[in-house]
Amino acid sequence: MSRNAQITFPWADGDYTFRLGWGELEQLQEACDAGPYVILSRLQDDTWRVGDISHTIRLGLVGGGMKMTDALLKVRKFVEARPPAENLLFAQVILSAACVGAPEENVGEEGAPSPAEENASTTSPTES
């Protein structure tokens, strides 16, 4: 049984794929000085910090396949230049998918990637 945690939805100026794999979750943890569930809890109970929102979206874009520089530019334009609450729900959805799986994922069905395949596709912190 394996979950990819990939989710695609309309955001900013188009449809984007977001995914927080193991590497992105480690980067998020370091950037926010908290574990994924602590960050998710803050996003859900209104104790969030602005970095919880921006880092979740940026790293979700990177994990979804966007180049780091492009993800940073998107976040600067569509997150950091806007009121934080506009992107709160998006950050919640992205991090929830990473922690518990995307709603459309069929856990345990044939064709799901093995843990080895999933780990091979995880972005390393040094990739750009």
PDB file of all heavy atoms in Angstrom, residues 87-123:
ATOM      1  N   ASN A  87      -4.420  32.139   0.597  1.00  0.00           N
ATOM      2  CA  ASN A  87      -3.761  30.887   0.245  1.00  0.00           C
ATOM      3  C   ASN A  87      -3.785  29.851   1.363  1.00  0.00           C
ATOM      4  O   ASN A  87      -3.220  28.776   1.225  1.00  0.00           O
ATOM      5  CB  ASN A  87      -2.320  31.162  -0.180  1.00  0.00           C
ATOM      6  CG  ASN A  87      -2.267  31.752  -1.564  1.00  0.00           C
ATOM      7  OD1 ASN A  87      -2.432  31.063  -2.552  1.00  0.00           O
ATOM      8  ND2 ASN A  87      -2.049  33.055  -1.640  1.00  0.00           N
ATOM      9  N   LEU A  88      -4.448  30.164   2.453  1.00  0.00           N
ATOM     10  CA  LEU A  88      -4.491  29.263   3.598  1.00  0.00           C
ATOM     11  C   LEU A  88      -5.105  27.906   3.229  1.00  0.00           C
ATOM     12  O   LEU A  88      -4.534  26.855   3.534  1.00  0.00           O
ATOM     13  CB  LEU A  88      -5.267  29.913   4.743  1.00  0.00           C
ATOM     14  CG  LEU A  88      -5.438  29.084   6.012  1.00  0.00           C
ATOM     15  CD1 LEU A  88      -4.085  28.709   6.610  1.00  0.00           C
ATOM     16  CD2 LEU A  88      -6.281  29.853   7.018  1.00  0.00           C
ATOM     17  N   LEU A  89      -6.245  27.921   2.582  1.00  0.00           N
ATOM     18  CA  LEU A  89      -6.906  26.668   2.212  1.00  0.00           C
ATOM     19  C   LEU A  89      -6.036  25.830   1.279  1.00  0.00           C
ATOM     20  O   LEU A  89      -5.960  24.603   1.419  1.00  0.00           O
ATOM     21  CB  LEU A  89      -8.265  26.947   1.568  1.00  0.00           C
ATOM     22  CG  LEU A  89      -9.071  25.716   1.160  1.00  0.00           C
ATOM     23  CD1 LEU A  89      -9.366  24.831   2.362  1.00  0.00           C
ATOM     24  CD2 LEU A  89     -10.360  26.129   0.482  1.00  0.00           C
ATOM     25  N   PHE A  90      -5.344  26.480   0.347  1.00  0.00           N
ATOM     26  CA  PHE A  90      -4.473  25.739  -0.573  1.00  0.00           C
ATOM     27  C   PHE A  90      -3.357  25.041   0.193  1.00  0.00           C
ATOM     28  O   PHE A  90      -3.051  23.871  -0.062  1.00  0.00           O
ATOM     29  CB  PHE A  90      -3.886  26.680  -1.632  1.00  0.00           C
ATOM     30  CG  PHE A  90      -4.929  27.297  -2.521  1.00  0.00           C
ATOM     31  CD1 PHE A  90      -5.181  28.655  -2.470  1.00  0.00           C
ATOM     32  CD2 PHE A  90      -5.658  26.521  -3.408  1.00  0.00           C
ATOM     33  CE1 PHE A  90      -6.136  29.235  -3.281  1.00  0.00           C
ATOM     34  CE2 PHE A  90      -6.622  27.084  -4.228  1.00  0.00           C
ATOM     35  CZ  PHE A  90      -6.862  28.444  -4.169  1.00  0.00           C
ATOM     36  N   ALA A  91      -2.749  25.739   1.144  1.00  0.00           N
ATOM     37  CA  ALA A  91      -1.691  25.132   1.951  1.00  0.00           C
ATOM     38  C   ALA A  91      -2.236  23.966   2.765  1.00  0.00           C
ATOM     39  O   ALA A  91      -1.578  22.920   2.887  1.00  0.00           O
ATOM     40  CB  ALA A  91      -1.056  26.180   2.857  1.00  0.00           C
ATOM     41  N   GLN A  92      -3.438  24.116   3.305  1.00  0.00           N
ATOM     42  CA  GLN A  92      -4.057  23.027   4.063  1.00  0.00           C
ATOM     43  C   GLN A  92      -4.247  21.786   3.198  1.00  0.00           C
ATOM     44  O   GLN A  92      -3.928  20.671   3.618  1.00  0.00           O
ATOM     45  CB  GLN A  92      -5.424  23.457   4.614  1.00  0.00           C
ATOM     46  CG  GLN A  92      -5.376  24.470   5.714  1.00  0.00           C
ATOM     47  CD  GLN A  92      -6.759  25.003   6.083  1.00  0.00           C
ATOM     48  OE1 GLN A  92      -7.730  24.796   5.368  1.00  0.00           O
ATOM     49  NE2 GLN A  92      -6.827  25.713   7.198  1.00  0.00           N
ATOM     50  N   VAL A  93      -4.746  21.974   1.986  1.00  0.00           N
ATOM     51  CA  VAL A  93      -4.998  20.849   1.082  1.00  0.00           C
ATOM     52  C   VAL A  93      -3.691  20.156   0.695  1.00  0.00           C
ATOM     53  O   VAL A  93      -3.597  18.927   0.701  1.00  0.00           O
ATOM     54  CB  VAL A  93      -5.769  21.335  -0.171  1.00  0.00           C
ATOM     55  CG1 VAL A  93      -5.821  20.261  -1.246  1.00  0.00           C
ATOM     56  CG2 VAL A  93      -7.167  21.787   0.211  1.00  0.00           C
ATOM     57  N   ILE A  94      -2.674  20.938   0.368  1.00  0.00           N
ATOM     58  CA  ILE A  94      -1.383  20.377  -0.053  1.00  0.00           C
ATOM     59  C   ILE A  94      -0.756  19.565   1.078  1.00  0.00           C
ATOM     60  O   ILE A  94      -0.311  18.426   0.870  1.00  0.00           O
ATOM     61  CB  ILE A  94      -0.426  21.509  -0.504  1.00  0.00           C
ATOM     62  CG1 ILE A  94      -0.964  22.186  -1.761  1.00  0.00           C
ATOM     63  CG2 ILE A  94       0.986  20.968  -0.734  1.00  0.00           C
ATOM     64  CD1 ILE A  94      -0.343  23.550  -2.054  1.00  0.00           C
ATOM     65  N   LEU A  95      -0.723  20.116   2.273  1.00  0.00           N
ATOM     66  CA  LEU A  95      -0.093  19.415   3.390  1.00  0.00           C
ATOM     67  C   LEU A  95      -0.946  18.243   3.869  1.00  0.00           C
ATOM     68  O   LEU A  95      -0.411  17.206   4.257  1.00  0.00           O
ATOM     69  CB  LEU A  95       0.205  20.386   4.531  1.00  0.00           C
ATOM     70  CG  LEU A  95       1.063  19.850   5.670  1.00  0.00           C
ATOM     71  CD1 LEU A  95       2.360  19.200   5.160  1.00  0.00           C
ATOM     72  CD2 LEU A  95       1.400  20.962   6.642  1.00  0.00           C
ATOM     73  N   SER A  96      -2.252  18.359   3.810  1.00  0.00           N
ATOM     74  CA  SER A  96      -3.121  17.226   4.164  1.00  0.00           C
ATOM     75  C   SER A  96      -2.891  16.058   3.230  1.00  0.00           C
ATOM     76  O   SER A  96      -2.813  14.903   3.672  1.00  0.00           O
ATOM     77  CB  SER A  96      -4.601  17.637   4.102  1.00  0.00           C
ATOM     78  OG  SER A  96      -4.914  18.536   5.124  1.00  0.00           O
ATOM     79  N   ALA A  97      -2.774  16.338   1.940  1.00  0.00           N
ATOM     80  CA  ALA A  97      -2.506  15.265   0.975  1.00  0.00           C
ATOM     81  C   ALA A  97      -1.178  14.583   1.273  1.00  0.00           C
ATOM     82  O   ALA A  97      -1.048  13.365   1.146  1.00  0.00           O
ATOM     83  CB  ALA A  97      -2.519  15.822  -0.450  1.00  0.00           C
ATOM     84  N   ALA A  98      -0.194  15.359   1.692  1.00  0.00           N
ATOM     85  CA  ALA A  98       1.116  14.787   2.010  1.00  0.00           C
ATOM     86  C   ALA A  98       1.058  13.915   3.255  1.00  0.00           C
ATOM     87  O   ALA A  98       1.699  12.862   3.309  1.00  0.00           O
ATOM     88  CB  ALA A  98       2.141  15.897   2.205  1.00  0.00           C
ATOM     89  N   CYS A  99       0.307  14.343   4.243  1.00  0.00           N
ATOM     90  CA  CYS A  99       0.274  13.622   5.518  1.00  0.00           C
ATOM     91  C   CYS A  99      -0.641  12.406   5.509  1.00  0.00           C
ATOM     92  O   CYS A  99      -0.321  11.396   6.128  1.00  0.00           O
ATOM     93  CB  CYS A  99      -0.152  14.568   6.642  1.00  0.00           C
ATOM     94  SG  CYS A  99       1.089  15.826   7.044  1.00  0.00           S
ATOM     95  N   VAL A 100      -1.773  12.502   4.835  1.00  0.00           N
ATOM     96  CA  VAL A 100      -2.740  11.397   4.873  1.00  0.00           C
ATOM     97  C   VAL A 100      -3.108  10.852   3.503  1.00  0.00           C
ATOM     98  O   VAL A 100      -3.857   9.885   3.408  1.00  0.00           O
ATOM     99  CB  VAL A 100      -4.026  11.797   5.632  1.00  0.00           C
ATOM    100  CG1 VAL A 100      -3.724  12.123   7.070  1.00  0.00           C
ATOM    101  CG2 VAL A 100      -4.738  12.940   4.964  1.00  0.00           C
ATOM    102  N   GLY A 101      -2.600  11.449   2.444  1.00  0.00           N
ATOM    103  CA  GLY A 101      -2.898  10.993   1.089  1.00  0.00           C
ATOM    104  C   GLY A 101      -3.936  11.873   0.432  1.00  0.00           C
ATOM    105  O   GLY A 101      -4.758  12.489   1.099  1.00  0.00           O
ATOM    106  N   ALA A 102      -3.866  11.916  -0.882  1.00  0.00           N
ATOM    107  CA  ALA A 102      -4.824  12.703  -1.653  1.00  0.00           C
ATOM    108  C   ALA A 102      -6.162  11.966  -1.678  1.00  0.00           C
ATOM    109  O   ALA A 102      -6.191  10.741  -1.721  1.00  0.00           O
ATOM    110  CB  ALA A 102      -4.301  12.931  -3.064  1.00  0.00           C
ATOM    111  N   PRO A 103      -7.268  12.683  -1.665  1.00  0.00           N
ATOM    112  CA  PRO A 103      -8.583  12.040  -1.602  1.00  0.00           C
ATOM    113  C   PRO A 103      -8.849  11.065  -2.741  1.00  0.00           C
ATOM    114  O   PRO A 103      -9.501  10.061  -2.544  1.00  0.00           O
ATOM    115  CB  PRO A 103      -9.569  13.206  -1.675  1.00  0.00           C
ATOM    116  CG  PRO A 103      -8.790  14.425  -1.444  1.00  0.00           C
ATOM    117  CD  PRO A 103      -7.349  14.121  -1.676  1.00  0.00           C
ATOM    118  N   GLU A 104      -8.322  11.329  -3.923  1.00  0.00           N
ATOM    119  CA  GLU A 104      -8.604  10.457  -5.068  1.00  0.00           C
ATOM    120  C   GLU A 104      -7.663   9.259  -5.163  1.00  0.00           C
ATOM    121  O   GLU A 104      -7.800   8.439  -6.047  1.00  0.00           O
ATOM    122  CB  GLU A 104      -8.577  11.249  -6.384  1.00  0.00           C
ATOM    123  CG  GLU A 104      -7.232  11.824  -6.741  1.00  0.00           C
ATOM    124  CD  GLU A 104      -6.925  13.149  -6.060  1.00  0.00           C
ATOM    125  OE1 GLU A 104      -7.747  13.686  -5.321  1.00  0.00           O
ATOM    126  OE2 GLU A 104      -5.809  13.647  -6.271  1.00  0.00           O
ATOM    127  N   GLU A 105      -6.710   9.143  -4.256  1.00  0.00           N
ATOM    128  CA  GLU A 105      -5.798   8.010  -4.287  1.00  0.00           C
ATOM    129  C   GLU A 105      -6.525   6.748  -3.843  1.00  0.00           C
ATOM    130  O   GLU A 105      -7.264   6.746  -2.866  1.00  0.00           O
ATOM    131  CB  GLU A 105      -4.596   8.241  -3.361  1.00  0.00           C
ATOM    132  CG  GLU A 105      -3.643   9.275  -3.893  1.00  0.00           C
ATOM    133  CD  GLU A 105      -2.452   9.490  -2.980  1.00  0.00           C
ATOM    134  OE1 GLU A 105      -2.554   9.295  -1.776  1.00  0.00           O
ATOM    135  OE2 GLU A 105      -1.405   9.872  -3.516  1.00  0.00           O
ATOM    136  N   ASN A 106      -6.299   5.682  -4.583  1.00  0.00           N
ATOM    137  CA  ASN A 106      -6.880   4.391  -4.268  1.00  0.00           C
ATOM    138  C   ASN A 106      -5.805   3.531  -3.632  1.00  0.00           C
ATOM    139  O   ASN A 106      -5.052   2.859  -4.314  1.00  0.00           O
ATOM    140  CB  ASN A 106      -7.450   3.736  -5.526  1.00  0.00           C
ATOM    141  CG  ASN A 106      -8.580   4.566  -6.116  1.00  0.00           C
ATOM    142  OD1 ASN A 106      -9.469   4.987  -5.398  1.00  0.00           O
ATOM    143  ND2 ASN A 106      -8.531   4.810  -7.407  1.00  0.00           N
ATOM    144  N   VAL A 107      -5.731   3.579  -2.336  1.00  0.00           N
ATOM    145  CA  VAL A 107      -4.679   2.903  -1.591  1.00  0.00           C
ATOM    146  C   VAL A 107      -4.812   1.397  -1.751  1.00  0.00           C
ATOM    147  O   VAL A 107      -5.883   0.831  -1.591  1.00  0.00           O
ATOM    148  CB  VAL A 107      -4.741   3.292  -0.103  1.00  0.00           C
ATOM    149  CG1 VAL A 107      -3.657   2.573   0.674  1.00  0.00           C
ATOM    150  CG2 VAL A 107      -4.600   4.786   0.054  1.00  0.00           C
ATOM    151  N   GLY A 108      -3.678   0.776  -2.050  1.00  0.00           N
ATOM    152  CA  GLY A 108      -3.638  -0.675  -2.133  1.00  0.00           C
ATOM    153  C   GLY A 108      -4.056  -1.249  -3.466  1.00  0.00           C
ATOM    154  O   GLY A 108      -3.986  -2.449  -3.674  1.00  0.00           O
ATOM    155  N   GLU A 109      -4.515  -0.433  -4.400  1.00  0.00           N
ATOM    156  CA  GLU A 109      -4.911  -0.939  -5.702  1.00  0.00           C
ATOM    157  C   GLU A 109      -3.696  -1.195  -6.556  1.00  0.00           C
ATOM    158  O   GLU A 109      -2.659  -0.560  -6.414  1.00  0.00           O
ATOM    159  CB  GLU A 109      -5.832   0.062  -6.415  1.00  0.00           C
ATOM    160  CG  GLU A 109      -7.212   0.112  -5.818  1.00  0.00           C
ATOM    161  CD  GLU A 109      -8.163   0.928  -6.672  1.00  0.00           C
ATOM    162  OE1 GLU A 109      -7.771   1.364  -7.776  1.00  0.00           O
ATOM    163  OE2 GLU A 109      -9.291   1.126  -6.215  1.00  0.00           O
ATOM    164  N   GLU A 110      -3.861  -2.132  -7.481  1.00  0.00           N
ATOM    165  CA  GLU A 110      -2.763  -2.421  -8.396  1.00  0.00           C
ATOM    166  C   GLU A 110      -2.453  -1.187  -9.213  1.00  0.00           C
ATOM    167  O   GLU A 110      -3.327  -0.392  -9.525  1.00  0.00           O
ATOM    168  CB  GLU A 110      -3.145  -3.584  -9.315  1.00  0.00           C
ATOM    169  CG  GLU A 110      -3.181  -4.900  -8.571  1.00  0.00           C
ATOM    170  CD  GLU A 110      -3.250  -6.068  -9.524  1.00  0.00           C
ATOM    171  OE1 GLU A 110      -2.700  -5.966 -10.635  1.00  0.00           O
ATOM    172  OE2 GLU A 110      -3.846  -7.064  -9.132  1.00  0.00           O
ATOM    173  N   GLY A 111      -1.185  -1.029  -9.551  1.00  0.00           N
ATOM    174  CA  GLY A 111      -0.750   0.126 -10.312  1.00  0.00           C
ATOM    175  C   GLY A 111      -0.223   1.244  -9.436  1.00  0.00           C
ATOM    176  O   GLY A 111       0.390   2.175  -9.921  1.00  0.00           O
ATOM    177  N   ALA A 112      -0.478   1.147  -8.143  1.00  0.00           N
ATOM    178  CA  ALA A 112       0.074   2.149  -7.231  1.00  0.00           C
ATOM    179  C   ALA A 112       1.580   1.937  -7.138  1.00  0.00           C
ATOM    180  O   ALA A 112       2.044   0.805  -7.155  1.00  0.00           O
ATOM    181  CB  ALA A 112      -0.565   2.028  -5.846  1.00  0.00           C
ATOM    182  N   PRO A 113       2.364   3.011  -7.075  1.00  0.00           N
ATOM    183  CA  PRO A 113       3.814   2.841  -7.015  1.00  0.00           C
ATOM    184  C   PRO A 113       4.241   2.163  -5.726  1.00  0.00           C
ATOM    185  O   PRO A 113       3.626   2.358  -4.678  1.00  0.00           O
ATOM    186  CB  PRO A 113       4.356   4.274  -7.077  1.00  0.00           C
ATOM    187  CG  PRO A 113       3.226   5.124  -6.615  1.00  0.00           C
ATOM    188  CD  PRO A 113       1.966   4.404  -7.013  1.00  0.00           C
ATOM    189  N   SER A 114       5.280   1.369  -5.832  1.00  0.00           N
ATOM    190  CA  SER A 114       5.840   0.729  -4.643  1.00  0.00           C
ATOM    191  C   SER A 114       6.587   1.777  -3.828  1.00  0.00           C
ATOM    192  O   SER A 114       6.938   2.829  -4.346  1.00  0.00           O
ATOM    193  CB  SER A 114       6.788  -0.388  -5.042  1.00  0.00           C
ATOM    194  OG  SER A 114       7.972   0.166  -5.598  1.00  0.00           O
ATOM    195  N   PRO A 115       6.862   1.497  -2.545  1.00  0.00           N
ATOM    196  CA  PRO A 115       7.637   2.461  -1.751  1.00  0.00           C
ATOM    197  C   PRO A 115       8.982   2.783  -2.387  1.00  0.00           C
ATOM    198  O   PRO A 115       9.428   3.914  -2.330  1.00  0.00           O
ATOM    199  CB  PRO A 115       7.795   1.765  -0.396  1.00  0.00           C
ATOM    200  CG  PRO A 115       6.594   0.874  -0.297  1.00  0.00           C
ATOM    201  CD  PRO A 115       6.360   0.409  -1.716  1.00  0.00           C
ATOM    202  N   ALA A 116       9.626   1.796  -3.031  1.00  0.00           N
ATOM    203  CA  ALA A 116      10.914   2.050  -3.683  1.00  0.00           C
ATOM    204  C   ALA A 116      10.744   3.014  -4.850  1.00  0.00           C
ATOM    205  O   ALA A 116      11.552   3.917  -5.053  1.00  0.00           O
ATOM    206  CB  ALA A 116      11.537   0.739  -4.159  1.00  0.00           C
ATOM    207  N   GLU A 117       9.667   2.831  -5.636  1.00  0.00           N
ATOM    208  CA  GLU A 117       9.415   3.735  -6.765  1.00  0.00           C
ATOM    209  C   GLU A 117       9.105   5.142  -6.262  1.00  0.00           C
ATOM    210  O   GLU A 117       9.553   6.120  -6.826  1.00  0.00           O
ATOM    211  CB  GLU A 117       8.232   3.224  -7.604  1.00  0.00           C
ATOM    212  CG  GLU A 117       8.521   1.950  -8.352  1.00  0.00           C
ATOM    213  CD  GLU A 117       7.259   1.357  -8.975  1.00  0.00           C
ATOM    214  OE1 GLU A 117       6.168   1.487  -8.390  1.00  0.00           O
ATOM    215  OE2 GLU A 117       7.391   0.759 -10.051  1.00  0.00           O
ATOM    216  N   GLU A 118       8.330   5.225  -5.185  1.00  0.00           N
ATOM    217  CA  GLU A 118       7.981   6.518  -4.637  1.00  0.00           C
ATOM    218  C   GLU A 118       9.205   7.248  -4.121  1.00  0.00           C
ATOM    219  O   GLU A 118       9.387   8.427  -4.351  1.00  0.00           O
ATOM    220  CB  GLU A 118       6.979   6.336  -3.505  1.00  0.00           C
ATOM    221  CG  GLU A 118       6.407   7.638  -3.009  1.00  0.00           C
ATOM    222  CD  GLU A 118       5.316   7.439  -1.998  1.00  0.00           C
ATOM    223  OE1 GLU A 118       4.469   6.571  -2.193  1.00  0.00           O
ATOM    224  OE2 GLU A 118       5.328   8.181  -1.015  1.00  0.00           O
ATOM    225  N   ASN A 119      10.104   6.541  -3.429  1.00  0.00           N
ATOM    226  CA  ASN A 119      11.315   7.160  -2.913  1.00  0.00           C
ATOM    227  C   ASN A 119      12.233   7.609  -4.040  1.00  0.00           C
ATOM    228  O   ASN A 119      12.891   8.620  -3.939  1.00  0.00           O
ATOM    229  CB  ASN A 119      12.071   6.203  -1.984  1.00  0.00           C
ATOM    230  CG  ASN A 119      11.370   6.046  -0.662  1.00  0.00           C
ATOM    231  OD1 ASN A 119      10.575   6.872  -0.266  1.00  0.00           O
ATOM    232  ND2 ASN A 119      11.661   4.946   0.023  1.00  0.00           N
ATOM    233  N   ALA A 120      12.255   6.866  -5.142  1.00  0.00           N
ATOM    234  CA  ALA A 120      13.103   7.228  -6.280  1.00  0.00           C
ATOM    235  C   ALA A 120      12.646   8.517  -6.932  1.00  0.00           C
ATOM    236  O   ALA A 120      13.445   9.253  -7.500  1.00  0.00           O
ATOM    237  CB  ALA A 120      13.116   6.094  -7.313  1.00  0.00           C
ATOM    238  N   SER A 121      11.347   8.815  -6.834  1.00  0.00           N
ATOM    239  CA  SER A 121      10.838  10.034  -7.474  1.00  0.00           C
ATOM    240  C   SER A 121      10.838  11.239  -6.550  1.00  0.00           C
ATOM    241  O   SER A 121      10.476  12.329  -6.967  1.00  0.00           O
ATOM    242  CB  SER A 121       9.409   9.790  -7.996  1.00  0.00           C
ATOM    243  OG  SER A 121       8.526   9.616  -6.914  1.00  0.00           O
ATOM    244  N   THR A 122      11.237  11.069  -5.327  1.00  0.00           N
ATOM    245  CA  THR A 122      11.265  12.189  -4.385  1.00  0.00           C
ATOM    246  C   THR A 122      12.387  13.137  -4.729  1.00  0.00           C
ATOM    247  O   THR A 122      13.503  12.710  -4.989  1.00  0.00           O
ATOM    248  CB  THR A 122      11.444  11.667  -2.930  1.00  0.00           C
ATOM    249  OG1 THR A 122      10.353  10.806  -2.643  1.00  0.00           O
ATOM    250  CG2 THR A 122      11.478  12.820  -1.954  1.00  0.00           C
ATOM    251  N   THR A 123      12.105  14.400  -4.726  1.00  0.00           N
ATOM    252  CA  THR A 123      13.092  15.419  -5.016  1.00  0.00           C
ATOM    253  C   THR A 123      14.061  15.543  -3.859  1.00  0.00           C
ATOM    254  O   THR A 123      13.650  15.651  -2.715  1.00  0.00           O
ATOM    255  CB  THR A 123      12.386  16.772  -5.244  1.00  0.00           C
ATOM    256  OG1 THR A 123      11.405  16.607  -6.256  1.00  0.00           O
ATOM    257  CG2 THR A 123      13.382  17.827  -5.648  1.00  0.00           C
TER     258      THR A 123
END
